Amino acid sequence: MGVANPDKLQSDLATQCSSKFNEIIRPRIQSGVIEGKTVICVYIPEAEARLKPIFVRKQGLDKGTYVRVGPTDQVCTPDDLAQLFQLRNIRPYDEAVLPQTSLSDINPNALNAYRKLRAKKNPNASELHYSDEELLGALHCIEKTDGVSRPTIAGLLLFGTENVLRRYFSMMRFDYVRVKGRDWGGEMDDTYYSIELRESLLTLLPKAEAAIMDDMEREFSFPKGSLTREEKPAIPYDAIREVLVNAVMHRDYQVAGPTLVVRFTDRIEFHNPGYSLKPIDRIGTPGSQSRNQTIASVLHETEYAENKGSGIAKVQRRMQEAQLPPPHFASSKADNTFVATLSLHQLMDEAALAWLNQFNQFGLSGEEARALVFARNKGYVSNEECRKLTGYDTPKASNLLTRLRGLGILEQHSHGSGTYYTLSGNCLGKEPESDLDIRIGVQDTQMKTGNKPNSDLVTQLRTQDTQMESERERILSSLPGSLQDEIQSLGQRITPEKREELIVRVCEVHPFTATEISILFRKTRTWAKNCLRELVNAERVSLTIPDKPNSRNQAYHVPKSGGQRNIFEWE
Protein backbone atom coordinates (compact mmCIF):
# COMPACT_ATOMS: atom_id res chain seq x y z
CA MET A 1 0.00 0.00 0.00
CA GLY A 2 2.81 2.43 0.80
CA VAL A 3 2.70 5.32 3.30
CA ALA A 4 -0.34 7.54 2.92
CA ASN A 5 0.98 10.65 4.71
CA PRO A 6 4.79 10.51 4.86
CA ASP A 7 5.24 14.06 6.19
CA LYS A 8 2.99 13.45 9.21
CA LEU A 9 4.63 10.12 9.97
CA GLN A 10 8.12 11.68 9.86
CA SER A 11 6.98 14.51 12.12
CA ASP A 12 5.44 12.11 14.66
CA LEU A 13 8.57 9.94 14.75
CA ALA A 14 10.88 12.91 15.28
CA THR A 15 8.64 14.29 18.05
CA GLN A 16 8.45 10.99 19.96
CA CYS A 17 12.19 10.40 19.69
CA SER A 18 12.86 13.80 21.22
CA SER A 19 10.36 13.49 24.08
CA LYS A 20 9.76 9.86 25.05
CA PHE A 21 13.27 8.88 26.24
CA ASN A 22 15.73 10.03 28.90
CA GLU A 23 18.04 11.32 26.15
CA ILE A 24 17.03 13.11 22.97
CA ILE A 25 17.30 10.78 19.98
CA ARG A 26 17.84 12.21 16.51
CA PRO A 27 16.56 9.69 13.94
CA ARG A 28 17.65 9.90 10.33
CA ILE A 29 14.53 9.71 8.18
CA GLN A 30 14.24 9.49 4.41
CA SER A 31 11.28 9.04 2.14
CA GLY A 32 11.47 7.31 -1.21
CA VAL A 33 9.53 5.57 -3.93
CA ILE A 34 9.89 1.83 -4.55
CA GLU A 35 7.81 0.20 -7.26
CA GLY A 36 5.58 3.27 -7.35
CA LYS A 37 4.87 3.26 -3.60
CA THR A 38 6.03 5.82 -1.05
CA VAL A 39 8.11 4.33 1.76
CA ILE A 40 9.82 5.72 4.85
CA CYS A 41 13.29 4.62 5.94
CA VAL A 42 14.33 5.34 9.54
CA TYR A 43 17.83 4.85 10.94
CA ILE A 44 18.57 5.20 14.68
CA PRO A 45 22.35 5.49 15.26
CA GLU A 46 23.82 3.70 18.26
CA ALA A 47 24.12 6.02 21.27
CA GLU A 48 27.56 6.91 22.58
CA ALA A 49 28.71 4.89 25.58
CA ARG A 50 28.60 7.95 27.83
CA LEU A 51 24.84 8.31 27.16
CA LYS A 52 23.80 4.71 27.81
CA PRO A 53 21.49 3.29 29.01
CA ILE A 54 18.69 4.86 26.96
CA PHE A 55 15.28 4.09 28.45
CA VAL A 56 11.60 4.99 28.04
CA ARG A 57 11.10 7.90 30.41
CA LYS A 58 7.55 6.94 31.46
CA GLN A 59 8.57 3.35 32.39
CA GLY A 60 11.74 4.35 34.22
CA LEU A 61 15.26 2.88 34.20
CA ASP A 62 14.43 -0.59 35.58
CA LYS A 63 11.46 -1.35 33.31
CA GLY A 64 12.05 0.91 30.33
CA THR A 65 15.55 -0.20 29.26
CA TYR A 66 15.61 -2.84 26.54
CA VAL A 67 18.22 -4.95 24.77
CA ARG A 68 17.74 -6.58 21.38
CA VAL A 69 17.98 -10.40 21.42
CA GLY A 70 17.35 -11.95 18.02
CA PRO A 71 13.97 -10.68 16.77
CA THR A 72 12.79 -9.72 20.30
CA ASP A 73 13.20 -6.79 22.71
CA GLN A 74 14.13 -7.94 26.25
CA VAL A 75 13.99 -5.81 29.42
CA CYS A 76 17.54 -5.28 30.73
CA THR A 77 18.52 -7.18 33.87
CA PRO A 78 20.44 -5.47 36.74
CA ASP A 79 23.63 -7.05 35.37
CA ASP A 80 22.93 -5.59 31.92
CA LEU A 81 22.43 -2.14 33.44
CA ALA A 82 25.61 -2.42 35.52
CA GLN A 83 27.63 -3.22 32.39
CA LEU A 84 26.20 -0.22 30.52
CA PHE A 85 27.08 2.10 33.40
CA GLN A 86 30.62 0.69 33.51
CA LEU A 87 31.09 1.51 29.84
CA ARG A 88 30.45 5.18 30.62
CA ASN A 89 33.74 5.39 32.48
CA ILE A 90 35.99 3.77 29.89
CA ARG A 91 38.53 6.28 28.57
CA PRO A 92 39.31 6.42 24.85
CA TYR A 93 42.55 4.65 23.99
CA ASP A 94 44.29 7.79 22.75
CA GLU A 95 43.84 9.45 26.17
CA ALA A 96 45.88 6.79 28.01
CA VAL A 97 49.36 7.62 29.35
CA LEU A 98 52.31 5.32 28.66
CA PRO A 99 54.92 4.66 31.38
CA GLN A 100 58.46 5.99 31.15
CA THR A 101 57.56 8.81 28.78
CA SER A 102 58.17 12.50 29.34
CA LEU A 103 58.01 15.87 27.61
CA SER A 104 61.44 15.12 26.12
CA ASP A 105 59.62 12.65 23.84
CA ILE A 106 57.80 15.54 22.13
CA ASN A 107 59.21 16.75 18.80
CA PRO A 108 59.49 20.59 18.75
CA ASN A 109 59.15 20.56 14.94
CA ALA A 110 55.74 18.91 15.25
CA LEU A 111 54.61 21.57 17.72
CA ASN A 112 55.83 24.27 15.36
CA ALA A 113 53.93 22.62 12.51
CA TYR A 114 50.75 22.72 14.62
CA ARG A 115 51.24 26.39 15.48
CA LYS A 116 51.68 27.31 11.81
CA LEU A 117 48.60 25.37 10.73
CA ARG A 118 46.53 26.73 13.59
CA ALA A 119 47.60 30.31 12.86
CA LYS A 120 46.67 29.84 9.22
CA LYS A 121 43.18 28.70 10.17
CA ASN A 122 42.67 31.12 13.08
CA PRO A 123 45.36 33.79 13.57
CA ASN A 124 43.67 34.95 16.79
CA ALA A 125 43.55 31.55 18.51
CA SER A 126 44.49 32.07 22.17
CA GLU A 127 46.54 28.86 22.41
CA LEU A 128 49.08 30.26 19.96
CA HIS A 129 50.48 32.31 22.86
CA TYR A 130 50.84 29.32 25.21
CA SER A 131 54.13 27.70 26.12
CA ASP A 132 54.73 24.23 24.68
CA GLU A 133 53.62 22.51 27.88
CA GLU A 134 50.54 24.74 28.22
CA LEU A 135 49.65 24.07 24.58
CA LEU A 136 49.92 20.30 25.02
CA GLY A 137 47.75 20.53 28.12
CA ALA A 138 45.10 22.57 26.30
CA LEU A 139 45.03 19.95 23.54
CA HIS A 140 44.63 17.10 26.11
CA CYS A 141 47.92 15.64 24.88
CA ILE A 142 49.61 15.49 28.29
CA GLU A 143 48.46 14.48 31.75
CA LYS A 144 50.04 15.10 35.13
CA THR A 145 50.96 11.98 37.10
CA ASP A 146 52.44 12.55 40.57
CA GLY A 147 53.11 16.13 39.57
CA VAL A 148 54.99 15.15 36.38
CA SER A 149 53.58 15.93 32.92
CA ARG A 150 53.56 12.89 30.66
CA PRO A 151 52.29 12.65 27.05
CA THR A 152 49.15 10.71 26.28
CA ILE A 153 49.07 8.25 23.38
CA ALA A 154 47.43 10.98 21.28
CA GLY A 155 50.22 13.37 22.27
CA LEU A 156 52.88 10.90 21.16
CA LEU A 157 51.16 10.03 17.88
CA LEU A 158 50.58 13.68 17.03
CA PHE A 159 53.81 15.22 18.31
CA GLY A 160 56.18 12.39 19.33
CA THR A 161 59.81 11.99 18.30
CA GLU A 162 60.83 9.24 15.91
CA ASN A 163 62.63 7.49 18.79
CA VAL A 164 59.56 7.18 21.03
CA LEU A 165 57.35 6.18 18.10
CA ARG A 166 59.76 3.41 17.17
CA ARG A 167 59.87 2.25 20.80
CA TYR A 168 56.11 2.10 21.43
CA PHE A 169 54.52 2.04 17.94
CA SER A 170 57.09 0.29 15.77
CA MET A 171 54.49 -1.05 13.30
CA MET A 172 52.35 2.08 13.17
CA ARG A 173 53.89 3.72 10.15
CA PHE A 174 52.71 5.03 6.78
CA ASP A 175 53.52 2.87 3.73
CA TYR A 176 53.05 3.97 0.12
CA VAL A 177 53.41 1.16 -2.42
CA ARG A 178 53.33 1.48 -6.20
CA VAL A 179 52.28 -1.71 -8.03
CA LYS A 180 52.30 -2.29 -11.76
CA GLY A 181 49.01 -3.78 -12.89
CA ARG A 182 45.62 -4.04 -11.26
CA ASP A 183 46.28 -6.76 -8.69
CA TRP A 184 48.49 -7.07 -5.65
CA GLY A 185 51.36 -9.46 -6.27
CA GLY A 186 51.39 -8.86 -10.01
CA GLU A 187 54.43 -8.24 -12.21
CA MET A 188 57.10 -6.23 -10.38
CA ASP A 189 59.58 -4.16 -12.36
CA ASP A 190 61.08 -0.69 -12.24
CA THR A 191 57.65 0.85 -11.68
CA TYR A 192 57.27 -0.97 -8.37
CA TYR A 193 58.60 0.79 -5.31
CA SER A 194 57.61 1.69 -1.77
CA ILE A 195 58.05 4.54 0.69
CA GLU A 196 57.94 4.11 4.49
CA LEU A 197 57.39 6.97 6.93
CA ARG A 198 57.43 6.76 10.71
CA GLU A 199 57.04 10.11 12.43
CA SER A 200 54.49 12.25 14.24
CA LEU A 201 51.23 12.83 12.36
CA LEU A 202 51.73 16.61 12.14
CA THR A 203 54.97 16.16 10.20
CA LEU A 204 54.03 12.90 8.46
CA LEU A 205 50.87 14.09 6.70
CA PRO A 206 52.49 16.62 4.32
CA LYS A 207 55.16 14.07 3.35
CA ALA A 208 52.55 11.35 2.78
CA GLU A 209 50.52 13.74 0.61
CA ALA A 210 53.62 14.59 -1.42
CA ALA A 211 54.49 10.90 -1.92
CA ILE A 212 51.04 10.24 -3.39
CA MET A 213 50.66 13.43 -5.43
CA ASP A 214 54.18 13.39 -6.90
CA ASP A 215 53.37 9.97 -8.38
CA MET A 216 50.05 11.14 -9.81
CA GLU A 217 49.50 11.49 -13.55
CA ARG A 218 48.38 14.93 -14.66
CA GLU A 219 46.18 16.30 -17.41
CA PHE A 220 47.01 19.50 -19.25
CA SER A 221 44.71 22.32 -20.28
CA PHE A 222 44.91 25.92 -21.44
CA PRO A 223 42.32 28.10 -19.65
CA LYS A 224 40.31 30.33 -21.92
CA GLY A 225 42.16 33.55 -22.61
CA SER A 226 45.42 32.27 -21.11
CA LEU A 227 48.64 31.17 -22.75
CA THR A 228 49.80 29.40 -19.59
CA ARG A 229 49.34 25.66 -19.37
CA GLU A 230 47.64 24.31 -16.25
CA GLU A 231 48.24 20.84 -14.82
CA LYS A 232 45.42 18.93 -13.16
CA PRO A 233 46.06 15.68 -11.24
CA ALA A 234 44.13 12.58 -12.34
CA ILE A 235 42.41 12.55 -8.92
CA PRO A 236 41.64 15.93 -7.29
CA TYR A 237 44.08 16.92 -4.57
CA ASP A 238 41.26 17.58 -2.08
CA ALA A 239 39.97 14.02 -2.50
CA ILE A 240 43.39 12.47 -1.83
CA ARG A 241 43.95 14.69 1.18
CA GLU A 242 40.59 13.98 2.82
CA VAL A 243 40.84 10.20 2.42
CA LEU A 244 44.43 10.19 3.70
CA VAL A 245 43.57 12.28 6.78
CA ASN A 246 40.55 10.09 7.51
CA ALA A 247 42.76 7.01 7.37
CA VAL A 248 45.20 8.24 10.03
CA MET A 249 42.53 9.99 12.10
CA HIS A 250 40.05 7.12 12.42
CA ARG A 251 42.32 4.05 12.32
CA ASP A 252 42.59 1.68 15.28
CA TYR A 253 45.93 2.43 16.94
CA GLN A 254 45.58 -0.59 19.21
CA VAL A 255 46.32 -2.76 16.16
CA ALA A 256 50.01 -3.09 15.27
CA GLY A 257 50.00 -2.44 11.56
CA PRO A 258 50.69 0.36 9.07
CA THR A 259 48.36 2.73 7.30
CA LEU A 260 48.85 1.42 3.77
CA VAL A 261 48.27 3.27 0.49
CA VAL A 262 48.59 1.15 -2.65
CA ARG A 263 48.72 2.74 -6.11
CA PHE A 264 47.56 0.38 -8.85
CA THR A 265 47.33 1.15 -12.55
CA ASP A 266 43.64 2.01 -12.34
CA ARG A 267 43.06 3.04 -8.72
CA ILE A 268 44.46 4.04 -5.34
CA GLU A 269 43.49 2.06 -2.23
CA PHE A 270 43.80 3.36 1.34
CA HIS A 271 43.94 0.51 3.90
CA ASN A 272 43.87 1.08 7.64
CA PRO A 273 43.19 -1.08 10.73
CA GLY A 274 39.86 -0.31 12.35
CA TYR A 275 36.38 -0.81 10.88
CA SER A 276 34.15 2.21 10.35
CA LEU A 277 32.18 3.18 13.45
CA LYS A 278 29.64 4.73 11.13
CA PRO A 279 27.46 2.35 9.07
CA ILE A 280 28.95 2.05 5.61
CA ASP A 281 25.79 3.30 3.92
CA ARG A 282 25.85 6.43 6.12
CA ILE A 283 29.38 7.48 5.18
CA GLY A 284 29.25 10.90 3.60
CA THR A 285 26.18 12.01 5.58
CA PRO A 286 26.35 14.71 8.30
CA GLY A 287 27.80 13.72 11.66
CA SER A 288 30.94 11.83 12.57
CA GLN A 289 31.98 9.19 15.09
CA SER A 290 35.57 9.31 16.26
CA ARG A 291 37.59 6.38 17.55
CA ASN A 292 40.44 8.74 18.53
CA GLN A 293 38.74 11.80 19.95
CA THR A 294 41.85 13.78 20.85
CA ILE A 295 43.59 13.12 17.54
CA ALA A 296 40.42 14.09 15.65
CA SER A 297 40.05 17.25 17.71
CA VAL A 298 43.63 18.41 17.02
CA LEU A 299 43.35 17.71 13.28
CA HIS A 300 40.03 19.57 13.18
CA GLU A 301 41.78 22.62 14.65
CA THR A 302 44.24 22.62 11.78
CA GLU A 303 43.52 22.70 8.07
CA TYR A 304 43.62 18.92 7.79
CA ALA A 305 40.21 17.61 8.89
CA GLU A 306 36.74 18.77 7.95
CA ASN A 307 34.12 19.45 10.61
CA LYS A 308 30.89 17.57 11.28
CA GLY A 309 31.78 14.59 9.14
CA SER A 310 31.76 16.59 5.90
CA GLY A 311 35.11 15.32 4.64
CA ILE A 312 33.78 12.24 2.79
CA ALA A 313 30.96 14.28 1.26
CA LYS A 314 33.66 16.62 -0.07
CA VAL A 315 35.51 13.64 -1.59
CA GLN A 316 32.31 12.50 -3.30
CA ARG A 317 31.74 15.99 -4.75
CA ARG A 318 35.31 16.35 -6.01
CA MET A 319 35.23 12.94 -7.69
CA GLN A 320 31.91 13.78 -9.35
CA GLU A 321 33.23 17.16 -10.55
CA ALA A 322 36.24 15.37 -12.08
CA GLN A 323 33.86 12.94 -13.83
CA LEU A 324 35.39 10.05 -11.91
CA PRO A 325 33.46 7.13 -10.38
CA PRO A 326 32.35 7.75 -6.77
CA PRO A 327 34.72 6.61 -4.03
CA HIS A 328 34.17 3.07 -2.81
CA PHE A 329 34.31 2.17 0.88
CA ALA A 330 34.56 -1.29 2.43
CA SER A 331 34.44 -1.94 6.18
CA SER A 332 34.78 -5.27 7.98
CA LYS A 333 34.09 -5.71 11.69
CA ALA A 334 35.29 -9.29 11.51
CA ASP A 335 38.71 -8.28 10.12
CA ASN A 336 38.72 -4.87 11.83
CA THR A 337 39.70 -3.18 8.58
CA PHE A 338 38.60 -0.28 6.41
CA VAL A 339 39.46 0.31 2.74
CA ALA A 340 38.75 3.42 0.66
CA THR A 341 39.24 3.20 -3.11
CA LEU A 342 39.57 6.11 -5.56
CA SER A 343 39.45 5.35 -9.28
CA LEU A 344 42.02 6.92 -11.63
CA HIS A 345 39.94 6.45 -14.77
CA GLN A 346 37.17 8.81 -15.80
CA LEU A 347 33.71 7.40 -16.28
CA MET A 348 33.26 9.28 -19.55
CA ASP A 349 36.40 8.21 -21.39
CA GLU A 350 36.56 7.43 -25.11
CA ALA A 351 35.47 3.83 -24.61
CA ALA A 352 32.45 4.95 -22.56
CA LEU A 353 31.42 7.52 -25.18
CA ALA A 354 31.74 4.84 -27.83
CA TRP A 355 29.51 2.46 -25.92
CA LEU A 356 26.89 5.14 -25.16
CA ASN A 357 26.44 5.88 -28.84
CA GLN A 358 24.05 2.91 -29.14
CA PHE A 359 21.51 4.81 -27.00
CA ASN A 360 21.35 7.95 -29.17
CA GLN A 361 17.66 7.49 -29.95
CA PHE A 362 16.72 7.75 -26.25
CA GLY A 363 18.09 11.27 -25.69
CA LEU A 364 19.83 10.36 -22.43
CA SER A 365 20.71 13.06 -19.92
CA GLY A 366 24.24 13.33 -18.57
CA GLU A 367 23.13 11.79 -15.28
CA GLU A 368 21.50 8.84 -17.03
CA ALA A 369 24.63 8.31 -19.10
CA ARG A 370 26.82 8.25 -15.96
CA ALA A 371 24.53 5.70 -14.30
CA LEU A 372 24.70 3.43 -17.35
CA VAL A 373 28.49 3.66 -17.66
CA PHE A 374 28.80 2.85 -13.95
CA ALA A 375 26.57 -0.21 -14.44
CA ARG A 376 28.70 -1.25 -17.41
CA ASN A 377 31.95 -0.93 -15.44
CA LYS A 378 30.79 -2.42 -12.14
CA GLY A 379 28.16 -4.86 -13.36
CA TYR A 380 25.30 -3.18 -11.49
CA VAL A 381 23.96 0.14 -10.23
CA SER A 382 21.82 0.73 -7.14
CA ASN A 383 19.85 3.71 -5.89
CA GLU A 384 22.69 4.49 -3.47
CA GLU A 385 25.34 4.46 -6.21
CA CYS A 386 23.09 6.51 -8.46
CA ARG A 387 22.74 9.17 -5.73
CA LYS A 388 26.51 9.36 -5.37
CA LEU A 389 26.98 9.68 -9.14
CA THR A 390 24.33 12.34 -9.70
CA GLY A 391 23.82 14.16 -6.40
CA TYR A 392 20.10 13.30 -6.61
CA ASP A 393 17.95 12.45 -3.59
CA THR A 394 16.40 8.99 -3.22
CA PRO A 395 13.09 9.61 -5.08
CA LYS A 396 14.81 11.38 -8.00
CA ALA A 397 17.42 8.62 -8.34
CA SER A 398 14.62 6.04 -8.24
CA ASN A 399 12.78 7.88 -11.05
CA LEU A 400 15.97 7.93 -13.15
CA LEU A 401 16.51 4.19 -12.75
CA THR A 402 12.82 3.47 -13.39
CA ARG A 403 12.98 5.40 -16.67
CA LEU A 404 16.05 3.45 -17.82
CA ARG A 405 14.27 0.23 -16.89
CA GLY A 406 11.22 1.35 -18.86
CA LEU A 407 13.40 1.98 -21.91
CA GLY A 408 14.58 -1.63 -21.69
CA ILE A 409 18.18 -0.64 -20.96
CA LEU A 410 18.24 -1.79 -17.33
CA GLU A 411 16.79 -4.85 -15.63
CA GLN A 412 15.64 -4.63 -12.00
CA HIS A 413 16.57 -7.22 -9.40
CA SER A 414 14.43 -6.77 -6.29
CA HIS A 415 15.74 -7.74 -2.88
CA GLY A 416 13.95 -5.22 -0.64
CA SER A 417 16.41 -2.53 0.40
CA GLY A 418 19.07 -4.31 -1.67
CA THR A 419 17.36 -3.64 -5.01
CA TYR A 420 19.85 -3.16 -7.84
CA TYR A 421 19.85 -2.90 -11.63
CA THR A 422 21.93 -4.54 -14.34
CA LEU A 423 22.22 -3.85 -18.05
CA SER A 424 19.88 -5.85 -20.24
CA GLY A 425 21.61 -8.50 -22.34
CA ASN A 426 21.31 -6.65 -25.65
CA CYS A 427 23.10 -3.56 -24.28
CA LEU A 428 26.34 -5.18 -23.15
CA GLY A 429 28.42 -5.53 -26.27
CA LYS A 430 27.50 -2.95 -28.92
CA GLU A 431 30.23 -0.51 -29.98
CA PRO A 432 30.29 2.16 -32.72
CA GLU A 433 32.54 1.44 -35.66
CA SER A 434 35.01 4.30 -35.36
CA ASP A 435 36.12 7.26 -33.27
CA LEU A 436 34.55 9.54 -35.87
CA ASP A 437 31.19 7.84 -35.36
CA ILE A 438 31.65 8.23 -31.61
CA ARG A 439 32.28 11.96 -31.69
CA ILE A 440 29.77 12.90 -34.40
CA GLY A 441 27.04 10.59 -33.07
CA VAL A 442 27.33 11.74 -29.49
CA GLN A 443 27.53 15.40 -30.47
CA ASP A 444 24.52 15.21 -32.80
CA THR A 445 22.38 13.48 -30.14
CA GLN A 446 23.34 15.96 -27.47
CA MET A 447 22.62 18.93 -29.72
CA LYS A 448 19.11 17.53 -30.26
CA THR A 449 18.49 16.79 -26.59
CA GLY A 450 20.17 19.86 -25.17
CA ASN A 451 22.37 17.62 -23.05
CA LYS A 452 25.03 20.18 -22.21
CA PRO A 453 27.42 18.25 -19.90
CA ASN A 454 28.36 15.54 -22.39
CA SER A 455 28.51 17.99 -25.29
CA ASP A 456 31.03 20.00 -23.29
CA LEU A 457 32.97 16.81 -22.61
CA VAL A 458 33.35 15.95 -26.29
CA THR A 459 34.37 19.53 -27.07
CA GLN A 460 36.85 19.41 -24.21
CA LEU A 461 38.36 16.17 -25.53
CA ARG A 462 38.80 17.72 -28.96
CA THR A 463 40.30 20.91 -27.51
CA GLN A 464 42.71 19.01 -25.28
CA ASP A 465 43.88 16.88 -28.21
CA THR A 466 44.59 20.03 -30.23
CA GLN A 467 46.34 21.74 -27.34
CA MET A 468 48.52 18.71 -26.62
CA GLU A 469 49.61 18.51 -30.25
CA SER A 470 50.34 22.25 -30.28
CA GLU A 471 52.46 21.86 -27.17
CA ARG A 472 54.30 18.92 -28.73
CA GLU A 473 55.03 20.96 -31.86
CA ARG A 474 56.43 23.75 -29.68
CA ILE A 475 58.74 21.31 -27.87
CA LEU A 476 59.85 19.67 -31.12
CA SER A 477 60.66 23.04 -32.68
CA SER A 478 63.23 23.69 -29.94
CA LEU A 479 65.24 20.60 -30.98
CA PRO A 480 67.73 20.17 -33.82
CA GLY A 481 66.18 19.04 -37.10
CA SER A 482 67.81 15.60 -37.11
CA LEU A 483 66.58 14.88 -33.58
CA GLN A 484 63.09 16.04 -34.53
CA ASP A 485 63.05 13.57 -37.42
CA GLU A 486 64.14 10.66 -35.22
CA ILE A 487 61.43 11.34 -32.64
CA GLN A 488 58.75 11.83 -35.31
CA SER A 489 59.63 8.48 -36.90
CA LEU A 490 59.34 6.48 -33.65
CA GLY A 491 56.83 3.64 -33.60
CA GLN A 492 54.61 2.59 -30.69
CA ARG A 493 57.30 0.30 -29.26
CA ILE A 494 60.70 1.63 -28.29
CA THR A 495 63.60 -0.30 -26.77
CA PRO A 496 64.95 0.84 -23.39
CA GLU A 497 68.34 1.59 -24.97
CA LYS A 498 66.83 3.77 -27.70
CA ARG A 499 64.56 5.47 -25.16
CA GLU A 500 67.49 6.40 -22.92
CA GLU A 501 69.59 7.59 -25.85
CA LEU A 502 66.88 9.92 -27.14
CA ILE A 503 65.99 11.36 -23.74
CA VAL A 504 69.65 12.10 -23.02
CA ARG A 505 70.06 13.79 -26.41
CA VAL A 506 66.91 15.85 -25.80
CA CYS A 507 68.16 16.95 -22.37
CA GLU A 508 71.51 17.94 -23.90
CA VAL A 509 69.73 20.71 -25.84
CA HIS A 510 68.28 22.42 -22.75
CA PRO A 511 66.43 21.41 -19.55
CA PHE A 512 63.04 19.70 -19.91
CA THR A 513 60.41 18.82 -17.30
CA ALA A 514 58.95 15.33 -16.94
CA THR A 515 55.69 16.70 -18.32
CA GLU A 516 57.42 17.97 -21.48
CA ILE A 517 59.19 14.63 -21.97
CA SER A 518 55.86 12.80 -21.63
CA ILE A 519 54.22 15.05 -24.25
CA LEU A 520 57.19 14.77 -26.60
CA PHE A 521 57.16 10.95 -26.57
CA ARG A 522 53.34 10.71 -26.31
CA LYS A 523 53.60 8.79 -23.03
CA THR A 524 52.25 9.29 -19.51
CA ARG A 525 53.98 11.55 -17.02
CA THR A 526 54.63 8.52 -14.80
CA TRP A 527 56.47 6.83 -17.69
CA ALA A 528 58.60 9.92 -18.16
CA LYS A 529 59.40 10.25 -14.44
CA ASN A 530 60.43 6.59 -14.21
CA CYS A 531 62.73 6.93 -17.25
CA LEU A 532 64.26 10.13 -15.90
CA ARG A 533 64.72 8.61 -12.44
CA GLU A 534 66.74 5.78 -14.00
CA LEU A 535 68.91 8.24 -15.90
CA VAL A 536 69.48 10.38 -12.80
CA ASN A 537 70.51 7.29 -10.82
CA ALA A 538 72.90 6.38 -13.64
CA GLU A 539 74.25 9.97 -13.54
CA ARG A 540 73.46 10.47 -17.22
CA VAL A 541 71.13 13.41 -16.54
CA SER A 542 70.97 15.82 -13.60
CA LEU A 543 68.31 17.75 -11.70
CA THR A 544 68.03 21.49 -12.15
CA ILE A 545 66.96 21.78 -8.50
CA PRO A 546 68.98 19.02 -6.81
CA ASP A 547 68.12 20.04 -3.24
CA LYS A 548 64.37 19.71 -3.97
CA PRO A 549 63.93 16.58 -6.10
CA ASN A 550 60.11 16.68 -5.85
CA SER A 551 59.76 20.35 -6.75
CA ARG A 552 56.95 21.19 -9.18
CA ASN A 553 59.50 23.22 -11.18
CA GLN A 554 61.98 20.34 -11.45
CA ALA A 555 63.61 19.84 -14.84
CA TYR A 556 66.31 17.54 -16.19
CA HIS A 557 69.45 18.36 -18.19
CA VAL A 558 72.82 16.93 -19.20
CA PRO A 559 75.66 18.82 -17.46
CA LYS A 560 78.26 20.54 -19.57
CA SER A 561 81.73 19.15 -19.50
CA GLY A 562 83.50 20.51 -16.44
CA GLY A 563 80.95 19.38 -13.93
CA GLN A 564 78.02 21.78 -14.23
CA ARG A 565 75.28 20.44 -11.89
CA ASN A 566 72.84 23.34 -11.48
CA ILE A 567 70.54 25.16 -13.88
CA PHE A 568 71.83 28.52 -12.71
CA GLU A 569 75.25 27.68 -14.17
CA TRP A 570 73.81 27.78 -17.69
CA GLU A 571 74.88 30.86 -19.61
Side-chain angles (χ1 to χ4, degrees), residues 217-237:
E217 295 179 1
R218 285 167 168 76
E219 299 173 353
F220 315 104
S221 63
F222 291 82
K224 187 175 181 179
S226 173
L227 297 177
T228 304
R229 182 185 70 230
E230 286 188 357
E231 295 187 5
K232 184 171 64 174
I235 296 178
Y237 170 75

Side-chain angles (χ1 to χ4, degrees), residues 102-119 127-128 130-142 151 154-161 200-204 298 302:
S102 67
L103 292 181
S104 64
D105 292 314
I106 297 297
N107 182 359
N109 293 332
L111 284 172
N112 291 336
Y114 171 83
R115 291 181 187 275
K116 289 179 182 178
L117 291 169
R118 184 62 177 149
E127 62 268 25
L128 293 174
Y130 294 173
S131 67
D132 287 351
E133 185 171 351
E134 289 172 337
L135 176 60
L136 289 167
L139 298 176
H140 303 288
C141 288
I142 59 173
L156 294 174
L157 291 170
L158 286 163
F159 303 106
T161 64
S200 59
L201 293 181
L202 268 299
T203 59
L204 180 147
V298 171
T302 66

